[in-house]
Amino acid sequence: MRVASIFPAATEIVCLLGAESLLVARAHDDDSPPSVAALPALSAPAAPLDAAASLAADPPFTLDLALLAQLRPDLLLTPALPSASAAAAAAAAAALPHPPRVLSLSPRSLGDVLSSILQLGAALDRPAAADAALRALRARIAAVDARVAARRARGAPARRLAFLSSAAPPQLGGLWVPQLLERAGGTHPLLAAAPHAGGAAPPPRAVSAEELAALDPELLLVAPRGEDLRGARRAVRSLAAGEWWGRLQAVARRRVLLVDGAAFSRPGPRLVDALEWLCAVLGEEGEPWPRGFPAEWLESAPPPPPPPPGGEEMADIEEAHACAVRLGKLQYTDPRTGYHVFTQIALEQRGYCCGNGCRHCAYDHVNVPPRRKATLRPPIIVKK
């Protein structure tokens, strides 16, 4: 059997079942296990993205139909979350001269992930491997449940958490994330797990600085989707520019955790690793983390942003932004720092001022606190 996957979580499950040798292609963002990077990429991120799509739970992608036709897989694995890209890919694959069978997986909770393992085990004719993997994962989950139950029996309170899956603008992790947080012994009041639907929460949503400040979480987790630990550090730098940041008790007490976004954003077997890590974090002080889990404490305040650009640098920034706007792009690369910056087009599509003091705010920083606004340059806007 020849298998092509455009769903990283499905790729991880295929490898968990000992069927990596069946894979002939992967998704563009597949990187686990690392060995799959040697496979040809069957998808590519769609561009340009609009502001909503850039923060969606299922960012759009394109499918290399010529490569798919050349590889002639027997089975194509796709996501079945509400994804126009996945639906288009399945329809295009069905129109090929030798169409593959399409298996679409739609995990929205930890239980759904376990069910996906059984589905793939049946599709790959590896039911015994799927059963064994499922037993092992369920045993690990049960061990976490037992540890959390023991803590509660001792009267340990549930910790108040906030989990950010994006920093610009801040966005709460949804779907399976709140379920993991609560199962590990925390609470996620701003986006809680549903008591029904297998525990899945609503999709990720934007959160205001006011909401975060009002919640004042005991522990703040920053795991930007699509970013590694370096990206998480950049995200914190962006968050720390807000006046509200320093008022959070999690920041004052150094209870901010940076996490590789892939550890939580992919609904595959690694979510059990994330659950075990959360259980350790929320346990007794000094409890060891699972070995190799990609996370770190924010030990001190993030480094200050670079000084405001001078005349020549500002001219370069204005030119880069104006060029991006002319091309209809939502982001451009800051010529000084190399960071990606939202253009005024993206911020207009957002529909409101987020209060973070964005460089190209289309709303004249109307929601930025007065003291911080007084330190900012006026937004750089291209007149239409």
Side-chain angles (χ1 to χ4, degrees), residues 118-366:
L118 288 178
Q119 284 182 270
L120 267 172
L124 300 174
D125 195 23
R126 303 214 173 192
D131 287 341
L134 209 53
R135 284 195 302 272
L137 291 173
R138 283 177 171 158
R140 292 167 61 190
I141 294 169
V144 169
D145 290 343
R147 289 164 63 189
V148 172
R151 290 175 195 159
R152 288 176 176 161
R154 295 195 300 268
R159 307 272 289 283
R160 190 172 65 256
L161 313 176
F163 184 105
L164 298 182
S165 59
S166 174
Q171 186 181 45
L172 297 168
L175 299 175
W176 49 83
V177 169
Q179 180 188 30
L180 296 179
L181 299 174
E182 294 175 15
R183 193 157 191 165
T187 64
H188 194 242
L190 294 178
L191 193 59
H196 307 295
R205 71 165 178 87
V207 61
S208 68
E210 290 76 15
E211 285 181 286
L212 287 170
L215 175 66
D216 196 16
E218 299 171 71
L219 185 66
L220 177 63
L221 298 95
V222 182
R225 188 172 51 255
E227 300 283 359
D228 58 12
L229 276 175
R230 287 182 298 178
R233 295 182 197 118
R234 289 194 297 269
V236 164
R237 188 168 172 171
S238 169
L239 293 167
E243 184 185 40
W244 56 274
W245 173 262
R247 300 200 304 267
L248 298 182
Q249 64 167 306
V251 174
R253 297 177 180 177
R254 297 186 179 182
R255 307 300 292 172
V256 179
L257 279 159
L258 312 182
V259 191
D260 184 325
F264 281 91
S265 64
R266 295 179 181 173
R270 285 195 294 169
L271 288 187
V272 179
D273 299 343
L275 178 65
E276 291 174 327
W277 173 77
L278 283 169
C279 185
V281 166
L282 297 174
E284 304 296 333
E285 194 71 32
E287 187 169 334
W289 292 359
R291 186 175 180 179
F293 191 83
E296 64 186 25
W297 289 104
L298 179 65
E299 293 294 344
S300 59
E312 290 186 8
E313 291 174 322
M314 182 57 70
D316 291 341
I317 288 171
E318 291 176 353
E319 182 179 351
H321 175 247
C323 180
V325 169
R326 285 196 299 271
L327 295 174
K329 293 185 175 181
L330 300 181
Q331 296 181 357
Y332 70 95
T333 301
D334 186 308
R336 292 186 307 141
T337 65
Y339 293 165
H340 294 299
V341 181
F342 281 124
T343 66
Q344 73 185 68
I345 297 175
L347 301 179
E348 286 169 351
Q349 290 182 8
R350 181 184 293 165
Y352 62 93
C353 172
C354 67
N356 286 329
C358 301
R359 180 184 289 170
H360 305 292
C361 178
Y363 305 97
D364 197 29
H365 293 156
V366 66

Side-chain angles (χ1 to χ4, degrees), residues 5-15 23 30 77-78 105 120 267-268:
S5 174
I6 53 173
F7 189 21
T11 304
E12 293 180 14
I13 295 174
V14 170
C15 296
L23 289 168
D30 256 329
L77 305 176
T78 75
L105 302 174
L120 267 172

Side-chain angles (χ1 to χ4, degrees), residues 40-52:
L42 196 55
S43 64
L49 299 180
D50 61 26

